[in-house]
Amino acid sequence: MNLFYAIEGIDVPDSLEKRLGARPAHLARLNQLKDEGRLLLAGPYPAIDSPDPGPAGFTGSLIVAAFDSLQAAQTWADADPYLAVGVYARVSVKPFKKVLP
């Protein structure tokens, strides 16, 4: 049974260059979840109040997706390219209950 989990990554300061380098691999994993019908939403937190923060970059990311268990979600999060190259300072994985819409 697939349940939703929120995966939140918090960036290290000045992560934009590392983020851009690892973005294709990061997006490939998200697209796989989407293709499997498991991705509810995903996106970054702009560092400034703008849809395109430019050189200000981002402060982290949120992914909400379906997994079989908390451990499966954690294992998936631990393999994120952003974590591997040092974009994320820390990652949390929590159960998520979709209520609306």
Side-chain angles (χ1 to χ4, degrees):
M1 171 207 254
N2 282 337
L3 303 171
F4 285 117
Y5 295 89
I7 300 168
E8 184 178 40
I10 303 301
D11 286 21
V12 299
D14 301 315
S15 63
L16 186 58
E17 187 175 326
K18 289 180 183 178
R19 181 181 270 274
L20 292 175
R23 189 170 190 261
H26 175 78
L27 289 178
R29 297 177 79 235
L30 292 173
N31 279 315
Q32 182 178 357
L33 288 177
K34 184 181 110 186
D35 293 346
E36 294 169 356
R38 297 170 44 203
L39 184 63
L40 183 62
L41 64 88
Y45 301 131
I48 59 174
D49 189 13
S50 171
D52 181 4
F58 301 91
T59 61
S61 304
L62 175 65
I63 300 162
V64 180
F67 292 91
D68 289 333
S69 66
L70 179 61
Q71 182 58 50
Q74 185 68 59
T75 298
W76 187 91
D78 288 346
D80 194 299
Y82 283 176
L83 190 59
V85 300
V87 172
Y88 292 151
R90 65 185 182 281
V91 175
S92 67
V93 180
K94 299 177 184 179
F96 180 83
K97 183 177 178 180
K98 182 178 184 275
V99 175
L100 292 170

mmCIF file with all atom_site columns, all heavy atoms in Angstrom, residues 44 46 48-54 57-58:
data_model
loop_
_atom_site.group_PDB
_atom_site.id
_atom_site.type_symbol
_atom_site.label_atom_id
_atom_site.label_alt_id
_atom_site.label_comp_id
_atom_site.label_asym_id
_atom_site.label_entity_id
_atom_site.label_seq_id
_atom_site.pdbx_PDB_ins_code
_atom_site.Cartn_x
_atom_site.Cartn_y
_atom_site.Cartn_z
_atom_site.occupancy
_atom_site.B_iso_or_equiv
_atom_site.pdbx_formal_charge
_atom_site.auth_seq_id
_atom_site.auth_comp_id
_atom_site.auth_asym_id
_atom_site.auth_atom_id
_atom_site.pdbx_PDB_model_num
ATOM 1  N N   . PRO A 1 44 ? 11.292 23.608 -5.508  1.00 0.00 ? 44 PRO A N   1
ATOM 2  C CA  . PRO A 1 44 ? 12.242 24.252 -4.614  1.00 0.00 ? 44 PRO A CA  1
ATOM 3  C C   . PRO A 1 44 ? 11.632 25.448 -3.874  1.00 0.00 ? 44 PRO A C   1
ATOM 4  O O   . PRO A 1 44 ? 10.581 25.955 -4.262  1.00 0.00 ? 44 PRO A O   1
ATOM 5  C CB  . PRO A 1 44 ? 13.334 24.729 -5.573  1.00 0.00 ? 44 PRO A CB  1
ATOM 6  C CG  . PRO A 1 44 ? 12.570 25.087 -6.810  1.00 0.00 ? 44 PRO A CG  1
ATOM 7  C CD  . PRO A 1 44 ? 11.449 24.075 -6.897  1.00 0.00 ? 44 PRO A CD  1
ATOM 8  N N   . PRO A 1 46 ? 12.380 29.186 -3.374  1.00 0.00 ? 46 PRO A N   1
ATOM 9  C CA  . PRO A 1 46 ? 13.221 30.308 -3.803  1.00 0.00 ? 46 PRO A CA  1
ATOM 10 C C   . PRO A 1 46 ? 13.746 31.082 -2.587  1.00 0.00 ? 46 PRO A C   1
ATOM 11 O O   . PRO A 1 46 ? 13.045 31.254 -1.598  1.00 0.00 ? 46 PRO A O   1
ATOM 12 C CB  . PRO A 1 46 ? 12.280 31.170 -4.639  1.00 0.00 ? 46 PRO A CB  1
ATOM 13 C CG  . PRO A 1 46 ? 11.195 30.224 -5.086  1.00 0.00 ? 46 PRO A CG  1
ATOM 14 C CD  . PRO A 1 46 ? 11.034 29.259 -3.951  1.00 0.00 ? 46 PRO A CD  1
ATOM 15 N N   . ILE A 1 48 ? 14.384 34.191 -2.476  1.00 0.00 ? 48 ILE A N   1
ATOM 16 C CA  . ILE A 1 48 ? 13.714 35.489 -2.413  1.00 0.00 ? 48 ILE A CA  1
ATOM 17 C C   . ILE A 1 48 ? 12.289 35.315 -2.933  1.00 0.00 ? 48 ILE A C   1
ATOM 18 O O   . ILE A 1 48 ? 11.967 34.303 -3.548  1.00 0.00 ? 48 ILE A O   1
ATOM 19 C CB  . ILE A 1 48 ? 14.467 36.569 -3.229  1.00 0.00 ? 48 ILE A CB  1
ATOM 20 C CG1 . ILE A 1 48 ? 14.572 36.167 -4.694  1.00 0.00 ? 48 ILE A CG1 1
ATOM 21 C CG2 . ILE A 1 48 ? 15.843 36.837 -2.624  1.00 0.00 ? 48 ILE A CG2 1
ATOM 22 C CD1 . ILE A 1 48 ? 15.170 37.236 -5.603  1.00 0.00 ? 48 ILE A CD1 1
ATOM 23 N N   . ASP A 1 49 ? 11.464 36.290 -2.701  1.00 0.00 ? 49 ASP A N   1
ATOM 24 C CA  . ASP A 1 49 ? 10.047 36.220 -3.083  1.00 0.00 ? 49 ASP A CA  1
ATOM 25 C C   . ASP A 1 49 ? 9.897  36.460 -4.584  1.00 0.00 ? 49 ASP A C   1
ATOM 26 O O   . ASP A 1 49 ? 9.516  37.541 -5.023  1.00 0.00 ? 49 ASP A O   1
ATOM 27 C CB  . ASP A 1 49 ? 9.245  37.245 -2.277  1.00 0.00 ? 49 ASP A CB  1
ATOM 28 C CG  . ASP A 1 49 ? 7.746  37.078 -2.456  1.00 0.00 ? 49 ASP A CG  1
ATOM 29 O OD1 . ASP A 1 49 ? 7.320  36.042 -2.994  1.00 0.00 ? 49 ASP A OD1 1
ATOM 30 O OD2 . ASP A 1 49 ? 7.012  37.993 -2.057  1.00 0.00 ? 49 ASP A OD2 1
ATOM 31 N N   . SER A 1 50 ? 10.251 35.416 -5.351  1.00 0.00 ? 50 SER A N   1
ATOM 32 C CA  . SER A 1 50 ? 10.214 35.508 -6.808  1.00 0.00 ? 50 SER A CA  1
ATOM 33 C C   . SER A 1 50 ? 10.155 34.098 -7.384  1.00 0.00 ? 50 SER A C   1
ATOM 34 O O   . SER A 1 50 ? 10.821 33.193 -6.854  1.00 0.00 ? 50 SER A O   1
ATOM 35 C CB  . SER A 1 50 ? 11.478 36.212 -7.314  1.00 0.00 ? 50 SER A CB  1
ATOM 36 O OG  . SER A 1 50 ? 11.561 36.132 -8.715  1.00 0.00 ? 50 SER A OG  1
ATOM 37 N N   . PRO A 1 51 ? 9.399  33.902 -8.458  1.00 0.00 ? 51 PRO A N   1
ATOM 38 C CA  . PRO A 1 51 ? 9.394  32.568 -9.073  1.00 0.00 ? 51 PRO A CA  1
ATOM 39 C C   . PRO A 1 51 ? 10.730 32.219 -9.726  1.00 0.00 ? 51 PRO A C   1
ATOM 40 O O   . PRO A 1 51 ? 11.056 31.056 -9.912  1.00 0.00 ? 51 PRO A O   1
ATOM 41 C CB  . PRO A 1 51 ? 8.275  32.639 -10.104 1.00 0.00 ? 51 PRO A CB  1
ATOM 42 C CG  . PRO A 1 51 ? 8.066  34.097 -10.368 1.00 0.00 ? 51 PRO A CG  1
ATOM 43 C CD  . PRO A 1 51 ? 8.473  34.818 -9.105  1.00 0.00 ? 51 PRO A CD  1
ATOM 44 N N   . ASP A 1 52 ? 11.536 33.237 -10.068 1.00 0.00 ? 52 ASP A N   1
ATOM 45 C CA  . ASP A 1 52 ? 12.873 33.023 -10.618 1.00 0.00 ? 52 ASP A CA  1
ATOM 46 C C   . ASP A 1 52 ? 13.858 33.838 -9.789  1.00 0.00 ? 52 ASP A C   1
ATOM 47 O O   . ASP A 1 52 ? 14.080 35.017 -10.050 1.00 0.00 ? 52 ASP A O   1
ATOM 48 C CB  . ASP A 1 52 ? 12.931 33.446 -12.088 1.00 0.00 ? 52 ASP A CB  1
ATOM 49 C CG  . ASP A 1 52 ? 14.307 33.208 -12.703 1.00 0.00 ? 52 ASP A CG  1
ATOM 50 O OD1 . ASP A 1 52 ? 15.198 32.651 -12.017 1.00 0.00 ? 52 ASP A OD1 1
ATOM 51 O OD2 . ASP A 1 52 ? 14.487 33.582 -13.869 1.00 0.00 ? 52 ASP A OD2 1
ATOM 52 N N   . PRO A 1 53 ? 14.452 33.230 -8.771  1.00 0.00 ? 53 PRO A N   1
ATOM 53 C CA  . PRO A 1 53 ? 15.321 33.989 -7.869  1.00 0.00 ? 53 PRO A CA  1
ATOM 54 C C   . PRO A 1 53 ? 16.693 34.327 -8.431  1.00 0.00 ? 53 PRO A C   1
ATOM 55 O O   . PRO A 1 53 ? 17.464 35.007 -7.769  1.00 0.00 ? 53 PRO A O   1
ATOM 56 C CB  . PRO A 1 53 ? 15.437 33.071 -6.664  1.00 0.00 ? 53 PRO A CB  1
ATOM 57 C CG  . PRO A 1 53 ? 15.306 31.706 -7.234  1.00 0.00 ? 53 PRO A CG  1
ATOM 58 C CD  . PRO A 1 53 ? 14.316 31.841 -8.358  1.00 0.00 ? 53 PRO A CD  1
ATOM 59 N N   . GLY A 1 54 ? 16.992 33.849 -9.637  1.00 0.00 ? 54 GLY A N   1
ATOM 60 C CA  . GLY A 1 54 ? 18.283 34.163 -10.236 1.00 0.00 ? 54 GLY A CA  1
ATOM 61 C C   . GLY A 1 54 ? 19.440 33.743 -9.353  1.00 0.00 ? 54 GLY A C   1
ATOM 62 O O   . GLY A 1 54 ? 19.411 32.664 -8.757  1.00 0.00 ? 54 GLY A O   1
ATOM 63 N N   . GLY A 1 57 ? 19.284 32.065 -5.759  1.00 0.00 ? 57 GLY A N   1
ATOM 64 C CA  . GLY A 1 57 ? 19.159 30.620 -5.612  1.00 0.00 ? 57 GLY A CA  1
ATOM 65 C C   . GLY A 1 57 ? 17.971 30.169 -4.789  1.00 0.00 ? 57 GLY A C   1
ATOM 66 O O   . GLY A 1 57 ? 16.932 30.830 -4.745  1.00 0.00 ? 57 GLY A O   1
ATOM 67 N N   . PHE A 1 58 ? 18.177 29.062 -4.113  1.00 0.00 ? 58 PHE A N   1
ATOM 68 C CA  . PHE A 1 58 ? 17.099 28.395 -3.386  1.00 0.00 ? 58 PHE A CA  1
ATOM 69 C C   . PHE A 1 58 ? 17.573 28.021 -1.990  1.00 0.00 ? 58 PHE A C   1
ATOM 70 O O   . PHE A 1 58 ? 18.779 27.937 -1.735  1.00 0.00 ? 58 PHE A O   1
ATOM 71 C CB  . PHE A 1 58 ? 16.657 27.140 -4.149  1.00 0.00 ? 58 PHE A CB  1
ATOM 72 C CG  . PHE A 1 58 ? 16.173 27.460 -5.541  1.00 0.00 ? 58 PHE A CG  1
ATOM 73 C CD1 . PHE A 1 58 ? 17.041 27.459 -6.614  1.00 0.00 ? 58 PHE A CD1 1
ATOM 74 C CD2 . PHE A 1 58 ? 14.851 27.801 -5.762  1.00 0.00 ? 58 PHE A CD2 1
ATOM 75 C CE1 . PHE A 1 58 ? 16.608 27.774 -7.901  1.00 0.00 ? 58 PHE A CE1 1
ATOM 76 C CE2 . PHE A 1 58 ? 14.403 28.124 -7.040  1.00 0.00 ? 58 PHE A CE2 1
ATOM 77 C CZ  . PHE A 1 58 ? 15.282 28.107 -8.111  1.00 0.00 ? 58 PHE A CZ  1
#
